[in-house]
Amino acid sequence: MKQAWQKETFRLPKDHGFKASPGNAIFIADRGAVRFEYPAAWTMEPTDDALEFRDRPPPDDDCVVKFSLMRLNPQIDWSGVPLAQLLEDLLTKDSPEQTLVGKVRTRRRDDMQLAWLETSSIDPGEQREGRCRACLALRGNVMPFITMDFWPEDTARFAPVWTGILRTLRIGEYETRLTGNDPRYWASQVP
């Protein structure tokens, strides 16, 4: 059963300090648990397990970015998790149809870790090669998982979108001024 989804829009305070690059919008999940930029002209829709950002409404889309958020037990130190291996296993170990393109890349920004890779597989509906870029990131107990599916011939068109998402990705930079002391937000969501 599809879970009900409710979109809420909050007016940012004048001194919020967020400024998107030209042509982009800023996506903020859970008051700042995760934040990144994406193309402002893209559509965003929820699914049962993720939020999907598309370059055009389906079936005319050529690229879809999916975002999901995992909250880990805050009483455990997750800083030693081998993100690169976890991501590679997640995408290729149980999916033999996925072929790793290149190697897993990693980066550390202060206390935030990122691992990303690209895979290739045959799209069952289109019967042609499709590509998937995937990123697993971690800061504290917040772990976003972001994927981008596209056709290889569109790599030059969508690579800047992927680069922009990773460049602007922020985790755990909470902005409580967005909601104030709204009682709808549970104590477990407070940093």
Side-chain angles (χ1 to χ4, degrees), residues 2 11 14 16 18 24 26 57 122 147 156 173 176 191:
K2 191 170 184 176
R11 184 170 296 281
K14 289 182 182 181
H16 61 76
F18 300 144
N24 282 351
I26 298 173
I122 300 299
T147 63
E173 296 179 9
T176 56

Side-chain angles (χ1 to χ4, degrees), residues 32-33 72 76-81 83 106-115 136-144 169-174 191:
L72 307 174
I76 296 174
D77 177 10
W78 297 98
S79 61
V81 170
L83 280 187
T106 60
R107 177 168 294 155
R108 183 176 284 277
R109 275 193 238 142
D110 298 320
D111 61 344
M112 181 172 73
Q113 303 174 58
L114 295 101
L136 199 55
L138 176 66
R139 182 173 183 223
N141 69 320
V142 179
M143 182 182 280
L169 180 63
R170 302 293 180 266
I171 303 172
E173 296 179 9
Y174 293 92

